[in-house]
CSV table of all heavy atoms in Angstrom, one decimal:
chain,number,residue,atom,x,y,z
B,170,ALA,N,0.8,-1.2,0.0
B,170,ALA,CA,0.0,-0.1,-0.1
B,170,ALA,C,0.9,1.3,0.1
B,170,ALA,O,0.8,2.1,-0.9
B,170,ALA,CB,-1.0,0.0,1.2
B,171,VAL,N,1.7,1.4,1.0
B,171,VAL,CA,2.3,2.8,1.3
B,171,VAL,C,3.4,3.0,0.2
B,171,VAL,O,3.6,4.2,-0.1
B,171,VAL,CB,2.9,2.7,2.7
B,171,VAL,CG1,3.6,4.2,3.0
B,171,VAL,CG2,1.9,2.5,3.8
B,172,ALA,N,4.2,2.0,-0.2
B,172,ALA,CA,5.2,2.4,-1.2
B,172,ALA,C,4.7,2.9,-2.5
B,172,ALA,O,5.2,4.0,-3.0
B,172,ALA,CB,6.1,1.0,-1.4
B,173,GLY,N,3.7,2.3,-3.0
B,173,GLY,CA,3.1,2.8,-4.2
B,173,GLY,C,2.4,4.1,-3.9
B,173,GLY,O,2.5,5.1,-4.8
B,174,GLN,N,1.6,4.3,-2.8
B,174,GLN,CA,1.1,5.6,-2.4
B,174,GLN,C,2.1,6.7,-2.4
B,174,GLN,O,1.9,7.8,-2.9
B,174,GLN,CB,0.3,5.5,-1.1
B,174,GLN,CG,0.0,6.8,-0.5
B,174,GLN,CD,1.0,7.2,0.6
B,174,GLN,OE1,1.3,6.6,1.5
B,174,GLN,NE2,1.6,8.5,0.2
B,175,ALA,N,3.3,6.4,-1.8
B,175,ALA,CA,4.3,7.4,-1.7
B,175,ALA,C,4.9,7.9,-3.1
B,175,ALA,O,5.1,9.1,-3.3
B,175,ALA,CB,5.4,6.8,-0.8
B,176,VAL,N,5.1,7.0,-4.0
B,176,VAL,CA,5.8,7.4,-5.2
B,176,VAL,C,4.8,8.1,-6.1
B,176,VAL,O,5.2,9.1,-6.8
B,176,VAL,CB,6.4,6.1,-6.0
B,176,VAL,CG1,7.6,5.7,-5.2
B,176,VAL,CG2,5.4,5.1,-6.3
B,177,VAL,N,3.5,7.8,-6.0
B,177,VAL,CA,2.4,8.5,-6.6
B,177,VAL,C,2.4,9.9,-6.1
B,177,VAL,O,2.2,10.9,-6.9
B,177,VAL,CB,1.1,7.7,-6.6
B,177,VAL,CG1,-0.1,8.6,-7.2
B,177,VAL,CG2,1.1,6.4,-7.3
B,178,TRP,N,2.4,10.0,-4.9
B,178,TRP,CA,2.4,11.4,-4.2
B,178,TRP,C,3.4,12.2,-4.7
B,178,TRP,O,3.2,13.3,-5.2
B,178,TRP,CB,2.4,11.2,-2.8
B,178,TRP,CG,1.7,12.4,-2.0
B,178,TRP,CD1,0.5,12.4,-1.4
B,178,TRP,CD2,2.3,13.6,-1.7
B,178,TRP,NE1,0.2,13.7,-0.9
B,178,TRP,CE2,1.3,14.5,-0.9
B,178,TRP,CE3,3.5,14.2,-2.0
B,178,TRP,CZ2,1.5,15.7,-0.6
B,178,TRP,CZ3,3.7,15.5,-1.6
B,178,TRP,CH2,2.7,16.2,-0.8
B,179,TYR,N,4.6,11.8,-4.6
B,179,TYR,CA,5.7,12.6,-5.0
B,179,TYR,C,5.9,12.9,-6.5
B,179,TYR,O,6.4,13.9,-6.9
B,179,TYR,CB,7.0,12.1,-4.3
B,179,TYR,CG,7.0,12.3,-2.9
B,179,TYR,CD1,6.6,11.3,-1.9
B,179,TYR,CD2,7.2,13.5,-2.4
B,179,TYR,CE1,6.5,11.6,-0.6
B,179,TYR,CE2,7.3,13.8,-0.9
B,179,TYR,CZ,6.8,12.8,-0.1
B,179,TYR,OH,6.6,13.0,1.2
B,180,THR,N,5.4,11.8,-7.3
B,180,THR,CA,5.6,12.1,-8.7
B,180,THR,C,4.5,13.2,-9.2
B,180,THR,O,4.8,14.1,-9.9
B,180,THR,CB,5.2,10.8,-9.5
B,180,THR,OG1,6.2,9.8,-9.0
B,180,THR,CG2,5.2,11.0,-10.9
B,181,GLY,N,3.3,13.0,-8.5
B,181,GLY,CA,2.2,13.9,-8.9
B,181,GLY,C,2.3,15.3,-8.5
B,181,GLY,O,1.8,16.3,-9.2
B,182,GLN,N,3.2,15.6,-7.4
B,182,GLN,CA,3.3,16.9,-7.0
B,182,GLN,C,4.6,17.5,-7.0
B,182,GLN,O,4.9,18.5,-7.8
B,182,GLN,CB,2.8,17.0,-5.5
B,182,GLN,CG,1.2,16.6,-5.5
B,182,GLN,CD,0.6,16.7,-4.2
B,182,GLN,OE1,-0.5,17.3,-4.0
B,182,GLN,NE2,1.2,16.1,-3.2
B,183,PHE,N,5.7,16.8,-6.5
B,183,PHE,CA,7.0,17.3,-6.5
B,183,PHE,C,7.8,17.1,-7.9
B,183,PHE,O,8.4,17.9,-8.5
B,183,PHE,CB,7.8,16.9,-5.4
B,183,PHE,CG,7.7,17.7,-4.1
B,183,PHE,CD1,6.9,17.2,-3.1
B,183,PHE,CD2,8.2,18.9,-4.1
B,183,PHE,CE1,6.6,18.0,-2.0
B,183,PHE,CE2,8.0,19.8,-3.0
B,183,PHE,CZ,7.2,19.4,-1.9
B,184,TYR,N,7.8,15.8,-8.3
B,184,TYR,CA,8.5,15.5,-9.5
B,184,TYR,C,7.9,16.3,-10.7
B,184,TYR,O,8.7,16.7,-11.6
B,184,TYR,CB,8.4,14.0,-9.8
B,184,TYR,CG,9.3,13.6,-10.9
B,184,TYR,CD1,10.7,13.7,-10.8
B,184,TYR,CD2,9.0,13.3,-12.2
B,184,TYR,CE1,11.6,13.4,-11.7
B,184,TYR,CE2,9.8,13.0,-13.2
B,184,TYR,CZ,11.0,12.9,-13.1
B,184,TYR,OH,11.9,12.7,-14.1
B,185,ALA,N,6.5,16.5,-10.7
B,185,ALA,CA,5.8,17.2,-11.8
B,185,ALA,C,6.4,18.6,-11.8
B,185,ALA,O,6.7,19.2,-12.9
B,185,ALA,CB,4.4,17.2,-11.6
B,186,LEU,N,6.6,19.2,-10.6
B,186,LEU,CA,7.1,20.6,-10.5
B,186,LEU,C,8.5,20.7,-11.0
B,186,LEU,O,8.9,21.5,-11.8
B,186,LEU,CB,7.0,21.1,-9.1
B,186,LEU,CG,7.6,22.4,-8.8
B,186,LEU,CD1,6.9,23.6,-9.6
B,186,LEU,CD2,7.5,22.7,-7.2
B,187,PHE,N,9.4,19.7,-10.4
B,187,PHE,CA,10.7,19.7,-10.9
B,187,PHE,C,10.9,19.5,-12.5
B,187,PHE,O,11.8,20.1,-13.1
B,187,PHE,CB,11.5,18.6,-10.2
B,187,PHE,CG,11.7,18.9,-8.7
B,187,PHE,CD1,11.8,17.8,-7.8
B,187,PHE,CD2,11.6,20.1,-8.1
B,187,PHE,CE1,11.9,17.9,-6.5
B,187,PHE,CE2,11.6,20.3,-6.7
B,187,PHE,CZ,11.8,19.3,-5.9
B,188,PHE,N,10.0,18.6,-13.0
B,188,PHE,CA,10.1,18.3,-14.5
B,188,PHE,C,9.8,19.5,-15.3
B,188,PHE,O,10.4,19.8,-16.2
B,188,PHE,CB,9.0,17.2,-14.8
B,188,PHE,CG,9.2,16.6,-16.1
B,188,PHE,CD1,10.0,15.6,-16.4
B,188,PHE,CD2,8.4,17.1,-17.1
B,188,PHE,CE1,10.1,15.1,-17.7
B,188,PHE,CE2,8.4,16.6,-18.3
B,188,PHE,CZ,9.3,15.6,-18.6
B,189,LEU,N,8.7,20.4,-14.8
B,189,LEU,CA,8.5,21.6,-15.4
B,189,LEU,C,9.5,22.5,-15.5
B,189,LEU,O,9.8,23.2,-16.5
B,189,LEU,CB,7.2,22.2,-14.8
B,189,LEU,CG,5.8,21.6,-15.1
B,189,LEU,CD1,4.7,22.3,-14.2
B,189,LEU,CD2,5.5,21.8,-16.6
B,190,GLU,N,10.2,22.7,-14.4
B,190,GLU,CA,11.4,23.7,-14.3
B,190,GLU,C,12.6,23.2,-14.9
B,190,GLU,O,13.3,24.0,-15.7
B,190,GLU,CB,11.6,24.0,-12.8
B,190,GLU,CG,10.4,24.8,-12.1
B,190,GLU,CD,10.9,25.3,-10.7
B,190,GLU,OE1,12.0,25.9,-10.7
B,190,GLU,OE2,10.1,25.1,-9.8
B,191,LYS,N,13.1,22.0,-14.6
B,191,LYS,CA,14.4,21.6,-15.1
B,191,LYS,C,14.5,21.0,-16.5
B,191,LYS,O,15.3,21.2,-17.2
B,191,LYS,CB,14.9,20.6,-14.1
B,191,LYS,CG,15.2,21.3,-12.6
B,191,LYS,CD,16.3,22.3,-12.7
B,191,LYS,CE,17.6,21.7,-13.0
B,191,LYS,NZ,18.7,22.7,-12.9
B,192,MET,N,13.4,20.2,-16.8
B,192,MET,CA,13.3,19.4,-18.1
B,192,MET,C,12.7,20.3,-19.2
B,192,MET,O,13.1,20.3,-20.3
B,192,MET,CB,12.7,18.1,-17.9
B,192,MET,CG,13.4,17.2,-17.0
B,192,MET,SD,15.1,17.1,-17.3
B,192,MET,CE,15.7,16.2,-15.9
B,193,LEU,N,11.5,21.0,-18.8
B,193,LEU,CA,10.7,21.7,-19.7
B,193,LEU,C,11.1,23.2,-19.7
B,193,LEU,O,10.5,23.9,-20.5
B,193,LEU,CB,9.3,21.5,-19.6
B,193,LEU,CG,8.8,20.0,-19.6
B,193,LEU,CD1,7.3,19.9,-19.5
B,193,LEU,CD2,9.4,19.3,-20.8
B,194,MET,N,11.9,23.7,-18.8
B,194,MET,CA,12.4,25.0,-18.7
B,194,MET,C,11.3,26.0,-18.6
B,194,MET,O,11.4,27.2,-19.2
B,194,MET,CB,13.3,25.2,-19.9
B,194,MET,CG,14.6,24.4,-20.0
B,194,MET,SD,15.5,24.4,-21.6
B,194,MET,CE,14.4,23.4,-22.5
B,195,VAL,N,10.3,25.6,-17.9
B,195,VAL,CA,9.2,26.7,-17.6
B,195,VAL,C,9.7,27.4,-16.4
B,195,VAL,O,10.3,27.0,-15.5
B,195,VAL,CB,7.9,26.0,-17.2
B,195,VAL,CG1,6.8,26.9,-16.7
B,195,VAL,CG2,7.4,25.1,-18.4
B,196,ASP,N,9.6,28.8,-16.6
B,196,ASP,CA,10.0,29.5,-15.4
B,196,ASP,C,9.4,29.3,-14.0
B,196,ASP,O,8.2,28.8,-14.0
B,196,ASP,CB,9.8,31.2,-15.7
B,196,ASP,CG,8.3,31.5,-15.6
B,196,ASP,OD1,7.7,31.4,-16.6
B,196,ASP,OD2,8.0,32.0,-14.5
B,197,GLY,N,10.2,29.5,-12.9
B,197,GLY,CA,9.7,29.0,-11.6
B,197,GLY,C,8.5,29.5,-11.2
B,197,GLY,O,7.6,28.7,-10.7
B,198,ALA,N,8.2,30.8,-11.5
B,198,ALA,CA,6.9,31.4,-11.0
B,198,ALA,C,5.7,30.8,-11.7
B,198,ALA,O,4.7,30.4,-11.1
B,198,ALA,CB,6.9,32.9,-11.2
B,199,SER,N,5.8,30.6,-13.0
B,199,SER,CA,4.7,30.0,-13.8
B,199,SER,C,4.6,28.5,-13.4
B,199,SER,O,3.4,28.1,-13.3
B,199,SER,CB,5.1,30.1,-15.2
B,199,SER,OG,5.2,31.4,-15.7
B,200,ALA,N,5.6,27.8,-13.1
B,200,ALA,CA,5.4,26.4,-12.7
B,200,ALA,C,4.7,26.2,-11.4
B,200,ALA,O,3.8,25.4,-11.2
B,200,ALA,CB,6.8,25.7,-12.7
B,201,ASN,N,5.1,27.1,-10.5
B,201,ASN,CA,4.4,27.2,-9.1
B,201,ASN,C,2.9,27.4,-9.3
B,201,ASN,O,2.1,26.8,-8.7
B,201,ASN,CB,5.0,28.2,-8.2
B,201,ASN,CG,6.3,27.9,-7.7
B,201,ASN,OD1,6.8,26.7,-7.8
B,201,ASN,ND2,7.2,28.8,-7.3
B,202,ILE,N,2.5,28.4,-10.1
B,202,ILE,CA,1.2,28.7,-10.3
B,202,ILE,C,0.4,27.6,-11.0
B,202,ILE,O,-0.7,27.2,-10.6
B,202,ILE,CB,1.0,30.1,-11.2
B,202,ILE,CG1,1.6,31.2,-10.4
B,202,ILE,CG2,-0.4,30.2,-11.7
B,202,ILE,CD1,1.7,32.5,-11.3
B,203,LEU,N,1.0,26.9,-11.9
B,203,LEU,CA,0.3,25.8,-12.6
B,203,LEU,C,0.0,24.6,-11.7
B,203,LEU,O,-1.0,24.1,-11.6
B,203,LEU,CB,1.3,25.3,-13.8
B,203,LEU,CG,1.3,26.2,-15.0
B,203,LEU,CD1,2.3,25.7,-15.9
B,203,LEU,CD2,-0.1,26.3,-15.7
B,204,ILE,N,1.1,24.3,-10.8
B,204,ILE,CA,0.9,23.3,-9.9
B,204,ILE,C,-0.2,23.7,-8.8
B,204,ILE,O,-1.0,22.8,-8.4
B,204,ILE,CB,2.3,23.1,-9.1
B,204,ILE,CG1,3.2,22.4,-10.0
B,204,ILE,CG2,2.1,22.1,-7.9
B,204,ILE,CD1,2.9,20.9,-10.3
B,205,ALA,N,-0.1,25.0,-8.4
B,205,ALA,CA,-1.1,25.5,-7.4
B,205,ALA,C,-2.5,25.4,-7.8
B,205,ALA,O,-3.5,24.9,-7.2
B,205,ALA,CB,-0.8,26.9,-7.0
B,206,VAL,N,-2.7,25.6,-9.1
B,206,VAL,CA,-4.1,25.6,-9.7
B,206,VAL,C,-4.6,24.1,-9.7
B,206,VAL,O,-5.7,23.8,-9.4
B,206,VAL,CB,-4.2,26.1,-11.2
B,206,VAL,CG1,-5.5,25.9,-11.8
B,206,VAL,CG2,-3.9,27.6,-11.0
B,207,ALA,N,-3.7,23.3,-10.2
B,207,ALA,CA,-4.0,21.8,-10.1
B,207,ALA,C,-4.3,21.2,-8.7
B,207,ALA,O,-5.2,20.4,-8.6
B,207,ALA,CB,-2.9,21.0,-10.8
B,208,LEU,N,-3.5,21.7,-7.8
B,208,LEU,CA,-3.8,21.2,-6.4
B,208,LEU,C,-5.1,21.8,-5.9
B,208,LEU,O,-5.9,21.1,-5.2
B,208,LEU,CB,-2.7,21.8,-5.5
B,208,LEU,CG,-1.2,21.2,-5.6
B,208,LEU,CD1,-0.4,21.9,-4.7
B,208,LEU,CD2,-1.3,19.7,-5.5
B,209,ALA,N,-5.5,23.0,-6.3
B,209,ALA,CA,-6.7,23.5,-5.9
B,209,ALA,C,-7.9,22.7,-6.4
B,209,ALA,O,-9.0,22.4,-5.8
B,209,ALA,CB,-6.9,25.0,-6.3
B,210,LEU,N,-7.8,22.4,-7.7
B,210,LEU,CA,-8.8,21.5,-8.4
B,210,LEU,C,-9.0,20.1,-7.8
B,210,LEU,O,-10.0,19.6,-7.7
B,210,LEU,CB,-8.6,21.5,-10.0
B,210,LEU,CG,-8.7,22.8,-10.6
B,210,LEU,CD1,-8.2,22.6,-12.1
B,210,LEU,CD2,-10.2,23.3,-10.6
B,211,GLY,N,-7.8,19.6,-7.5
B,211,GLY,CA,-7.7,18.1,-7.0
B,211,GLY,C,-8.0,17.9,-5.6
B,211,GLY,O,-8.5,16.8,-5.3
B,212,THR,N,-7.7,18.7,-4.7
B,212,THR,CA,-7.6,18.5,-3.3
B,212,THR,C,-9.1,18.0,-2.8
B,212,THR,O,-9.0,17.1,-1.9
B,212,THR,CB,-7.2,19.8,-2.5
B,212,THR,OG1,-5.9,20.1,-2.8
B,212,THR,CG2,-7.5,19.6,-1.1
B,213,PRO,N,-10.1,18.5,-3.2
B,213,PRO,CA,-11.4,18.0,-2.7
B,213,PRO,C,-11.6,16.5,-2.9
B,213,PRO,O,-12.4,15.8,-2.2
B,213,PRO,CB,-12.6,18.8,-3.5
B,213,PRO,CG,-11.8,19.9,-4.0
B,213,PRO,CD,-10.4,19.8,-4.2
B,214,PHE,N,-11.0,15.9,-3.8
B,214,PHE,CA,-11.1,14.5,-4.0
B,214,PHE,C,-10.4,13.6,-3.0
B,214,PHE,O,-10.6,12.4,-2.9
B,214,PHE,CB,-10.5,14.1,-5.5
B,214,PHE,CG,-11.5,14.6,-6.6
B,214,PHE,CD1,-11.3,15.9,-7.1
B,214,PHE,CD2,-12.4,13.8,-7.1
B,214,PHE,CE1,-12.2,16.4,-8.1
B,214,PHE,CE2,-13.3,14.3,-8.0
B,214,PHE,CZ,-13.2,15.5,-8.6
B,215,PHE,N,-9.5,14.2,-2.2
B,215,PHE,CA,-9.1,13.5,-1.0
B,215,PHE,C,-10.3,13.1,-0.2
B,215,PHE,O,-10.4,12.1,0.4
B,215,PHE,CB,-8.1,14.4,-0.1
B,215,PHE,CG,-6.7,14.5,-0.7
B,215,PHE,CD1,-6.3,15.7,-1.3
B,215,PHE,CD2,-5.9,13.5,-0.6
B,215,PHE,CE1,-5.1,15.9,-1.8
B,215,PHE,CE2,-4.6,13.6,-1.2
B,215,PHE,CZ,-4.1,14.8,-1.8
B,216,ILE,N,-11.1,14.1,0.1
B,216,ILE,CA,-12.3,13.9,0.9
B,216,ILE,C,-13.3,12.9,0.1
B,216,ILE,O,-13.8,11.9,0.8
B,216,ILE,CB,-13.1,15.1,1.1
B,216,ILE,CG1,-12.1,16.3,1.6
B,216,ILE,CG2,-14.3,14.9,2.1
B,216,ILE,CD1,-11.5,16.1,3.0
């Protein structure tokens, strides 16, 4: 359970952010905003 849950969590939030910045060369501020919007849309689904 937990190992899979953990890598999904960090891939979906942190690795996606690093990928945008380091690999796709999106500027840091824009990458932060894009991730923030996705988090706002997705967070209710935890409940």
Side-chain angles (χ1 to χ4, degrees):
V171 182
Q174 166 263 301
V176 296
V177 171
W178 204 100
Y179 287 97
T180 301
Q182 298 185 127
F183 275 105
Y184 189 74
L186 175 63
F187 297 152
F188 190 85
L189 283 172
E190 289 192 50
K191 294 296 290 185
M192 301 305 171
L193 305 185
M194 296 164 287
V195 176
D196 70 276
S199 297
N201 286 344
I202 292 171
L203 291 167
I204 291 286
V206 172
L208 291 177
L210 293 173
T212 294
F214 287 89
F215 286 108
I216 311 299

